[in-house]
Amino acid sequence: MKEHLGAYTFKSDSPTVITIGTFDGVHAGHQKIIEKLVNTAKLSNMESAILTFFPHPRMVLQKESDIKLINTIDERKKLLSNSGIDHLIIHPFTHQFSRLTAQEFVRDILVHKLNAKKIIIGYDHRFGRNRTADINTLKEFGKEYDFEVEEIGKQEIEDVAVSSTKIRKALMEGNVEKANRYLQQPFMLTGTVVRGKGLGKDFGYPTANLKIEENYKLIPKNGVYIARAEIDEIPYFGMMNIGTNPTVGGTEQTIETYFFMLDQDLYGQKLEIELLTRIRDEKNFDSIDSLKRGMKQDEAFSSQFIKDNYAE
């Protein structure tokens, strides 16, 4: 897959089959559309391309919007890189771009820059200034600029919308197993390991404190989770706590992971941590000893879960 930072940097002599969308989560519904895109391109002897936008349009046009996304843009790129498409075009969404008319968008970007000969799009897709154009407008432009339009069926589009909504809801409820079923892959949190207060080490549970820069990233409900990460190409399991650590007087949300069987300084490393299941809510234990006993129970539960589900 070739990545293009904006439509104006796109270079290919081949005609393209294009679909347009956010593809947040790259979940099962998205994967069906991408499969259709890739197969259509191969049968037509063209190249497949996804046109997506960043920042999310709502971040630009609705400054008060507190939109939370399943993936950061880097996570989305990684997931799409495994989908079989030829080109991923990430176009900067700006106020100026939002003022393009539908004809300008189609003529100047889809046709002239991206060499689109076929556009696969949802029946409810709207585009152009103030989102006034729809698929019927696009079909009219297709006659004028010599490209085909294939409509993604209503059921497929609704599957995508429902899946995205259900994934976000499941994550906010802490139900990562349900979210993972929709995603067909584990939900991930990506960030840099930074220094925390170091309290976990005092309890015998040294943790990697994950800092996520992207404030639009959806963080699951506070609680204790079983997690997994690949560190130096070796998979490690662990326990992740998302919360404020109330037992030790914490007030700010942190994301801390204790990795089993790992004795390594991770400060400064970028980690991609997958969430596998949720163990329990975060608790305010009545003493440090109670906290330690609780963590021992969590560790025993985690070991059994990993043995039952991931033992080779």
Side-chain angles (χ1 to χ4, degrees), residues 218-238:
L218 193 159
I219 307 299
K221 182 180 179 182
N222 284 1
V224 181
Y225 296 83
I226 299 175
R228 177 179 59 192
E230 196 167 280
I231 301 169
D232 296 332
E233 301 183 355
I234 300 171
Y236 289 93
F237 290 90

Side-chain angles (χ1 to χ4, degrees), residues 244-250 280-288 290-291:
T244 60
N245 298 304
T247 306
V248 293
R280 59 170 173 82
D281 287 339
E282 185 177 46
K283 295 179 182 177
N284 188 356
F285 291 93
D286 57 15
S287 68
I288 297 299
S290 295
L291 170 61

Side-chain angles (χ1 to χ4, degrees), residues 101-140:
T101 65
Q103 184 168 20
E104 288 170 335
F105 173 66
V106 170
R107 180 192 64 211
D108 299 344
I109 292 185
L110 296 183
V111 176
H112 290 166
K113 288 295 178 185
L114 304 183
N115 202 15
K117 288 297 179 184
K118 187 163 191 173
I119 299 168
I120 300 177
I121 209 73
Y123 75 98
D124 62 345
H125 184 78
R126 304 194 72 83
F127 63 98
R129 187 183 300 170
N130 299 323
R131 302 181 74 244
T132 53
D134 60 14
I135 192 167
N136 295 315
T137 317
L138 191 62
K139 287 176 179 176
E140 289 300 314

Side-chain angles (χ1 to χ4, degrees), residues 169-193:
K169 184 173 185 289
L171 291 170
M172 287 187 287
E173 292 173 348
N175 192 342
V176 294
E177 290 193 62
K178 183 176 182 180
N180 291 349
R181 285 196 296 273
Y182 280 104
L183 288 166
Q184 293 190 338
Q185 61 219 348
F187 173 76
M188 68 180 86
L189 293 171
T190 307
T192 303
V193 178

Side-chain angles (χ1 to χ4, degrees), residues 19 23-39 50 71 79-80 82-85 152 156 159-160 163-164 167 179-186:
T19 192
F23 292 92
D24 186 30
V26 196
H27 57 63
H30 292 138
Q31 289 165 28
K32 284 174 62 180
I33 293 170
I34 294 169
E35 186 178 356
K36 177 183 289 188
L37 174 76
V38 171
N39 289 340
I50 287 177
N71 296 137
L79 293 170
L80 288 170
N82 299 323
S83 66
I85 60 171
I152 301 169
E156 283 183 274
D159 284 348
V160 168
S163 294
S164 295
I167 291 165
N180 291 349
R181 285 196 296 273
Y182 280 104
L183 288 166
Q184 293 190 338
Q185 61 219 348

